[in-house]
Amino acid sequence: MILLVTKKMIEYFDKDIKRINHALKVYGFATCLASNEIISDEKLFILNISAILHDIGIKEAEKKYGSNSGHYQEIEGPAVASWLLRDLNIEKPILDRILFLIGNHHSYNKIDAMDFQVLVEADFLVNFFEDNMQLSAIEKIQKNIFKTKTGISMVESMYLG
Ligand SMILES: [Fe+2]
């Protein structure tokens, strides 16, 4: 299933290598962070699919609003993800959670469980580099948003200290 969803994401992003790489990097970090947290197989599945598809709304956001801001990605993402996942027979509560994570992954005040927390941390671990963020901003985010031991120590090893 993960391979299938990854292939669908790659086809959908259609030669947009930067976004394809971004999705796979976030998926990689999410898997690492999750392995050290108490997270059920079901939640791990939700996290993996959400990580691969988390920014899938970006193309529609650009098309409709001329913006790739997080807010518009959140608005457009769930419909695109639901279309890509339509034939995969994913149970409704699981699909709903995947779509919720995609639709809220920039809304840090809504983090309500470990799958959401890990997705946000994985996205930051990649974006710190891709967005060339200042160390002071990285430090602030580590302090205010990161919760997992692995995530905090990865920020430390990769960017701080
Ligand atoms: Fe992202």
Side-chain angles (χ1 to χ4, degrees):
M1 181 81 91
I2 301 294
L3 174 61
L4 194 57
V5 174
T6 302
K7 282 165 110 176
K8 281 174 181 281
M9 176 276 290
I10 290 173
E11 275 166 31
Y12 180 79
F13 277 141
D14 186 29
K15 310 263 182 328
D16 191 338
I17 308 297
K18 199 173 162 231
R19 281 171 188 161
I20 294 167
N21 283 342
H22 175 82
L24 287 171
K25 283 192 267 180
V26 172
Y27 166 65
F29 277 109
T31 308
C32 289
L33 299 185
S35 69
N36 215 19
E37 302 299 328
I38 301 163
I39 189 161
S40 66
D41 285 352
E42 186 178 287
K43 287 272 183 193
L44 190 60
F45 174 78
I46 288 168
L47 174 64
N48 286 335
I49 304 289
S50 305
I52 294 164
L53 298 180
H54 75 282
D55 281 340
I56 207 73
I58 204 162
K59 272 171 71 167
E60 281 300 300
E62 285 171 342
K63 220 191 282 175
K64 282 194 191 167
Y65 315 99
S67 163
N68 61 11
S69 84
H71 175 64
Y72 292 123
Q73 277 182 51
E74 285 187 343
I75 293 175
E76 296 302 318
V80 179
S82 144
W83 178 73
L84 289 177
L85 299 172
R86 69 196 181 284
D87 295 330
L88 302 183
N89 285 325
I90 299 172
E91 286 172 45
K92 180 142 188 337
I94 295 179
L95 182 63
D96 285 348
R97 181 68 182 170
I98 292 169
L99 300 182
F100 172 80
L101 292 182
I102 294 170
N104 290 282
H105 74 277
H106 287 289
S107 304
Y108 314 123
N109 58 327
K110 290 190 187 162
I111 297 174
D112 58 354
M114 195 45 79
D115 51 356
F116 197 157
Q117 178 68 34
V118 166
L119 176 62
V120 166
E121 291 187 16
D123 201 19
F124 271 125
L125 279 162
V126 176
N127 284 337
F128 288 156
F129 174 74
E130 291 186 354
D131 296 345
N132 215 356
M133 281 176 75
Q134 298 215 324
L135 288 183
S136 56
I138 296 174
E139 228 161 3
K140 219 170 159 185
I141 291 167
Q142 186 206 34
K143 192 166 157 256
N144 295 332
I145 294 180
F146 276 65
K147 296 263 184 317
T148 73
K149 252 189 182 171
T150 319
I152 291 166
S153 87
M154 279 186 181
V155 180
E156 209 69 41
S157 319
M158 291 171 70
Y159 299 100
L160 308 173

